[in-house]
């Protein structure tokens, strides 16, 4: 008697696939990534026309010399010296391994793609996946069949959540694979070992470079996609809660899109409204911490954003389970 | 007496602070078709939602096969198959996929059982088509297949004939009788149509404004209404007609209604004989009809207000 969790997940997966949700996600990626690739290609082309392509080695050589000269001059704070040394090491590595740092590769493209996608594009895709997970059962009336089986309600919702986690993971993985494979056609499939700088810290509103170190690009990407996966998971969890609370897909979609887009707007104009940093939607640009750009609001850091997102995720999950297991089904 | 499969005691429910269900109590036994009869808005669907675990009662107990729905949800609900309101299924999947889905939720259901149920509801040909291509009747049957899949002891159907054509209704009726008589299922059916309950059910609970006002066998209920005849007289001869009727020994009761209608209890076989007496006495009879009992009549009788101003529907005697 009763159902196994695996059987329930199988059911949810089947429903999600049959509703073509994942197919839509893959199609969106398959259409947009080539467009971004082409845009990137044009940018590179324009840059190369301006600067010329052949002399990147001498340009890099020149920059190393410049940095060394600055290093040699006295009256420089210790952390600046540190920063210059790391930059020189990176540039030297590029030179030694014959890597043109400004030339795009499939791997670099994937990295840049996620930097751009994690704030809005990817969360939107996750919303498409998750928004009608529960609300559609209510609007189509199938909830009546789902909840009159010998399966406890928490187990029904848990199976939906686990299925969501599965598809969030598949989506992030697909984004990586597709951006690498598609852009690689144009830019080549190299660049996994290229060193990338990370480890920036923000101290008192200033970027602190004293803790910066080099990381092979594949490790960087692993870190970056891992963090993005977490962002997507939290957005998915919040969407699941909304899906439990509202009755129609349109309402859920509206709420989530408004939240995501207002987050993007807030990150651009909320410098003076410090409390905004506790909203989940201004904490989505999580890969920026790796790349070392200044956060949109003072007091934000990687651990801070991870904490805010975790709290939102946990609270959403609790609300979703409480409401779903207690609420009467009426029509 | 057969086992009690469903026992409901003192069920109470309020929605938004307003009491909708007041103290509902009844029992349903194995092998019987039990009707739940009441007009729209009486609280049938609300009660059924509580019986299948979709809504939590504010008070009272529901036992299914002796297991408490509240404390032993899985064990209790696994003995129930139901369709609440419309047969809602996943339209974007085939009939078979739907059944497989529910099979996985109930556990221990073989593909042979699925085939068996599909055959039982006569959907073998269409089972691999998407549900969105099904007619309402086919959806109804798939809904029943879904409800029967895990061999429940109790089948709960909420107004199952809604939207079906007369042929579909007849088919469903035979089907339900067969389930109760041959498979020994307890079937609980709600309806707002007396005629439907009368044809399908063994026993009936009558519900009005959230209260059960009567529980009993359909036969004894209908007997109260046997042999009623409606005479219509011209305005000026009503009084005379009533006088005659009261004097005839085989007319046992007489009620004066509006617009010249007079209802009386008598042997239907003797209508012609009575008519002759009326004509002979000079009462102008302009219509005679043996009555079809309506839900309104039933309520008026049960609540004791059925004397003078009942709404009357003339019809031909159909039994
Ligand atoms: N969700 C709800 N909120 C408020 N009132 C409700 C709700 N559902 C049902 N009711 C009220 O409860 C009463 C019984 O409704 P229902 O059980 O659907 O009746 P039936 O199925 O017998 O037609 C009606 O008066 C209806 O207005
Ligand atoms: Mg109803």
């Amino acid at each position: 008697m009763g159902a196994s969790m695996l059987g329930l997940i199988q059911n949810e997966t089947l429903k999600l696939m049959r509703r073509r949700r994942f197919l839509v996600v893959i199609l969106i990626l398959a259409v947009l990534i080539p467009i971004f690739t082409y845009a990137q290609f044009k940018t590179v082309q324009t840059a190369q026309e301006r600067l010329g392509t052949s002399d990147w080695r001498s340009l890099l050589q020149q920059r190393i010399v410049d940095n060394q000269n600055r290093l040699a001059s006295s009256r420089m704070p210790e952390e600046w010296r540190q920063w210059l040394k790391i930059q020189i090491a990176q540039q030297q590595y590029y030179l030694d391994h014959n890597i043109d740092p400004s030339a795009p590769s499939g791997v670099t493209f994937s990295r840049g793609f996620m930097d751009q996608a994690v704030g809005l594009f990817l969360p939107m895709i996750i919303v498409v996946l998750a928004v009608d997970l529960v609300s559609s059962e209510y609007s189509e009336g199938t909830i009546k069949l789902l909840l009159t089986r010998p399966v406890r309600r928490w187990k029904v919702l848990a199976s939906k959540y686990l299925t969501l986690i599965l598809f969030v993971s598949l989506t992030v993985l697909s984004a990586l694979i597709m951006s690498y494979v598609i852009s690689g056609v144009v830019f080549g499939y190299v660049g996994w070992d290229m060193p990338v700088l990370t480890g920036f810290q923000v101290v008192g509103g200033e970027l602190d470079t004293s803790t910066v170190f080099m990381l092979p690009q594949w490790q960087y990407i692993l870190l970056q996609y891992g963090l993005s996966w977490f962002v997507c998971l939290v957005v998915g969890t919040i969407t699941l809660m909304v899906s439990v609370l509202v009755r129609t897909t349109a309402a859920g979609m509206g709420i989530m899109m408004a939240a995501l887009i207002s987050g993007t707007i807030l990150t651009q104009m909320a410098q003076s409204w410090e409390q905004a940093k506790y909203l989940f939607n201004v904490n989505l640009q999580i890969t920026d911490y790796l790349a070392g750009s200044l956060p949109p609001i003072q007091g934000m850091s990687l651990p801070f954003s991870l904490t805010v997102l975790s709290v939102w995720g946990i609270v959403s999950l609790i609300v979703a389970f409480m409401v779903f297991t207690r609420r009467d089904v009426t029509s | 007496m057969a086992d009690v499969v469903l026992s409901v005691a003192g069920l109470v429910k309020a929605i938004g602070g307003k009491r909708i269900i007041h103290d509902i109590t009844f029992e349903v036994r194995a092998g019987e078709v039990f009707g739940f009869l009441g007009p729209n808005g009486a609280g049938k669907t609300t009660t059924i939602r509580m019986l299948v675990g979709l809504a939590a009662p504010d008070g009272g107990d529901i036992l299914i096969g002796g297991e408490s729905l509240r404390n032993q949800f899985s064990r209790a609900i696994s003995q129930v198959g139901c369709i609440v309101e419309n047969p809602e299924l996943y339209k974007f999947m085939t009939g078979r996929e739907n059944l497989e889905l529910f099979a996985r939720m109930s556990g221990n259901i073989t593909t042979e059982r699925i085939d068996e149920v599909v055959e039982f509801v006569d959907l073998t040909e269409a089972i691999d088509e998407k549900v969105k291509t099904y007619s309402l009747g086919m959806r109804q049957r798939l809904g029943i297949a879904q409800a029967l899949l895990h061999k429940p002891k109790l089948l709960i159907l909420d107004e199952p004939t809604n939207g079906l054509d007369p042929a579909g209704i007849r088919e469903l009726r035979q089907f339900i009788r067969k389930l109760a008589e041959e498979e020994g299922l307890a079937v609980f059916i709600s309806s707002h149509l007396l005629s439907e309950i009368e044809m399908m059910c063994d026993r009936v609970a009558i519900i009005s404004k959230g209260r059960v006002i009567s529980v009993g066998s359909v036969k004894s209920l209908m007997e109260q209404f046997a042999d009623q005849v409606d005479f219509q007289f011209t305005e000026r001869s009503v009084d005379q007609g009533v006088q005659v009727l009261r004097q005839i020994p085989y007319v046992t009761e007489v009620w004066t209604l509006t617009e010249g209608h007079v209802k009386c209890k008598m042997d239907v076989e003797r209508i012609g004989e009575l008519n002759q007496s009326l004509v002979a006495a000079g009462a102008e009879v302009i219509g005679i009809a043996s009555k079809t009992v309506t839900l309104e009549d039933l309520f008026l009788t049960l609540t004791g207000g059925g004397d003078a101003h009942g709404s009357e529907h003339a019809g031909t005697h159909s039994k």
Side-chain angles (χ1 to χ4, degrees), chain A residues 1-166:
Chain A
M1 191 181 68
S4 71
M5 188 49 97
L6 221 56
L8 295 178
I9 291 176
Q10 192 184 345
N11 281 357
E12 292 305 323
T13 305
L14 187 70
K15 282 188 255 175
L16 200 136
M17 297 299 277
R18 280 299 150 82
R19 282 187 209 278
R20 311 253 165 92
R21 285 297 175 272
F22 193 60
L23 186 70
V24 167
V25 165
I26 295 297
L27 279 179
I28 293 174
L29 288 173
V31 169
L32 288 182
I33 289 176
I35 294 177
F36 294 152
T37 303
Y38 184 72
Q40 174 88 0
F41 173 71
K42 287 308 258 187
T43 317
V44 170
Q45 217 176 27
T46 322
Q48 282 178 346
E49 270 164 21
R50 211 153 23 109
L51 298 169
T53 40
S54 49
D55 57 346
W56 66 269
R57 289 187 68 90
S58 52
L59 244 134
L60 201 57
Q61 190 75 61
Q62 188 56 47
R63 269 200 254 153
I64 293 175
V65 173
D66 286 351
N67 280 340
Q68 275 166 344
N69 288 343
R70 282 160 74 191
L71 203 58
S73 75
S74 52
R75 296 194 330 255
M76 183 176 272
E78 184 50 34
E79 62 261 33
W80 276 74
R81 301 176 71 85
Q82 219 38 56
W83 171 229
L84 282 175
K85 274 184 193 163
I86 291 172
Q87 281 195 319
I88 292 167
Q90 188 191 26
Q91 285 155 354
Q92 194 60 54
Y93 182 96
Y94 290 154
L95 214 52
D96 293 348
H97 292 81
N98 200 25
I99 299 166
D100 177 358
S102 63
S105 75
V107 184
T108 316
F109 178 88
S110 304
R111 177 159 66 95
F113 174 72
M114 189 46 96
D115 277 337
Q116 297 304 316
V118 71
L120 185 63
F121 176 59
L122 213 54
M124 275 186 174
I125 284 187
I126 298 301
V127 169
V128 170
L129 269 181
V131 73
D132 60 357
L133 224 47
V134 178
S135 62
S136 67
E137 304 272 7
Y138 277 91
S139 59
E140 290 165 23
T142 44
I143 190 75
K144 289 183 280 188
L145 297 173
L146 211 52
L147 298 186
T148 53
R149 306 282 130 178
V151 182
R152 302 307 307 233
R153 286 190 184 189
W154 68 263
K155 225 172 155 184
V156 172
L157 191 60
S159 71
K160 284 185 178 289
Y161 189 54
L162 291 174
T163 308
L164 178 62
I165 293 177
L166 178 71

Side-chain angles (χ1 to χ4, degrees), chain A residues 194-213:
Chain A
M194 190 172 104
V196 183
L197 298 184
T198 189
F200 301 91
Q201 284 188 323
V202 178
V203 180
E206 300 281 322
L207 205 59
D208 179 3
T209 52
S210 61
T211 48
V212 167
F213 55 94

Side-chain angles (χ1 to χ4, degrees), chain A residues 1-3 7-8 10-11 14-15 18-19 137 140-142 144-153 328-331, chain B residues 13 49 52-56 73-75 77-78 82 84-85 88-90 92 97 101-102 104-108 146 150:
Chain A
M1 191 181 68
L8 295 178
Q10 192 184 345
N11 281 357
L14 187 70
K15 282 188 255 175
R18 280 299 150 82
R19 282 187 209 278
E137 304 272 7
E140 290 165 23
T142 44
K144 289 183 280 188
L145 297 173
L146 211 52
L147 298 186
T148 53
R149 306 282 130 178
V151 182
R152 302 307 307 233
R153 286 190 184 189
D328 283 353
V329 177
T330 56
S331 56
Chain B
K13 178 74 183 176
R49 286 211 180 96
V52 298
L54 290 175
F73 177 77
S74 294
R75 274 205 243 167
I77 205 71
S78 62
C82 63
V84 181
E85 291 176 308
E88 248 92 42
L89 296 133
Y90 296 101
F92 50 88
E97 284 170 333
L101 205 91
F102 299 121
R104 277 191 287 273
M105 290 198 79
S106 300
N108 301 335
Q146 161 278 127
H150 52 293

Side-chain angles (χ1 to χ4, degrees), chain B residues 44-45 85 158-159:
Chain B
K44 302 183 295 294
T45 301
E85 291 176 308
D158 188 12
E159 310 228 12

Side-chain angles (χ1 to χ4, degrees), chain A residues 127 130-136 138 235-257 259 280 312 316-317 319-320 323 327:
Chain A
V127 169
V131 73
D132 60 357
L133 224 47
V134 178
S135 62
S136 67
Y138 277 91
V235 171
T237 310
I238 295 171
T239 312
L240 183 79
M241 173 188 71
V242 170
S243 186
V244 169
L245 295 179
V246 303
R247 289 296 164 87
T248 64
T249 305
M253 195 68 107
I255 290 169
M256 285 314 293
M257 287 302 158
F280 83 92
W312 275 84
S316 299
L317 207 56
V319 170
V323 173
R327 185 172 61 191

